[in-house]
Amino acid sequence: MQYWLFKSEPSTWSWDDQLAKGDAGEEWDGVRNYQARNHMRTMKIGDLGFFYHSQKDKEIVGIVEVIAESHPDSTTDDERWDCVDIKAVKTVTKPVTLAEIKENERLSGMVLVNNTRLSVQPVSADEWRIICNMAGVK
DNA sequence: GCCAACGTTGGC
DNA sequence: GCCAACGTTGGC
């Protein structure tokens, strides 16, 4: 079981959009970055991830689950790009902001802090627990 | 809106 | 295979 963080601009694909898809979920398509793609290729069904709003909000707003492993991205003919499908699991009780994450010394190693531009990131089990606590997620 | 950081592209 | 130029992302 691995943990991840999916980053999206709310104006492009928001948590509300993801929620609206329900259990059917949706492709996490449009990724055109090798590192992010490679992370998706290692994902397994049942892996969990945070859903992060970049730009205006800059906070973790929900939890998602991987429901389909890596497959060709349907939004391009370029065979280099794959993606997984994810569904919304729950909305966090209390969104965790980037500022709060930066303030927490135990989260100082997070990719979110050190490589702000990577759109799909791994999250360690420790980081996962800490943030779930902060977010009020059981 | 600006700018720093980063990734990708393409000429050599 | 190197590196300069360029485009994009995302925090501030």
Side-chain angles (χ1 to χ4, degrees):
Chain A
M1 164 67 101
Q2 290 274 299
Y3 299 105
W4 309 95
L5 184 144
F6 296 86
K7 189 164 50 183
S8 183
E9 291 181 41
S11 57
T12 305
W13 182 255
S14 73
W15 180 240
D16 284 342
D17 293 328
Q18 186 71 51
L19 278 176
K21 292 289 176 178
D23 287 343
E26 180 75 352
E27 280 191 348
W28 194 258
D29 56 30
V31 171
R32 301 291 181 266
N33 173 283
Y34 291 107
Q35 268 185 281
R37 182 208 63 188
N38 290 343
H39 287 316
M40 288 199 287
R41 284 184 172 176
T42 68
M43 290 181 190
K44 296 278 188 287
I45 290 174
D47 280 359
L48 297 175
F50 292 124
F51 192 107
Y52 176 83
H53 274 170
S54 65
Q55 307 274 59
K56 193 164 181 292
D57 297 341
K58 287 170 296 187
E59 60 191 16
I60 289 167
V61 291
I63 308 282
V64 294
E65 180 181 340
V66 176
I67 56 170
E69 292 178 15
S70 184
H71 58 80
D73 184 332
S74 70
T75 63
T76 178
D77 290 333
D78 192 330
E79 62 186 18
R80 290 179 298 170
W81 304 119
D82 298 337
C83 63
V84 297
D85 293 3
I86 60 173
K87 71 168 184 178
V89 175
K90 65 166 61 175
T91 304
V92 300
T93 308
K94 180 184 177 308
V96 178
T97 66
L98 180 62
E100 287 173 310
I101 289 169
K102 285 184 168 176
E103 282 169 13
N104 190 324
E105 198 175 319
R106 297 188 64 199
L107 299 175
S108 62
M110 278 192 76
V111 182
L112 187 63
V113 178
N114 299 299
N115 185 359
T116 55
R117 295 187 49 193
L118 185 59
S119 58
V120 177
Q121 315 176 352
V123 173
S124 77
D126 280 346
E127 291 160 355
W128 182 266
R129 275 193 301 272
I130 293 166
I131 292 173
C132 281
N133 277 335
M134 293 164 76
V137 175
K138 303 292 183 303

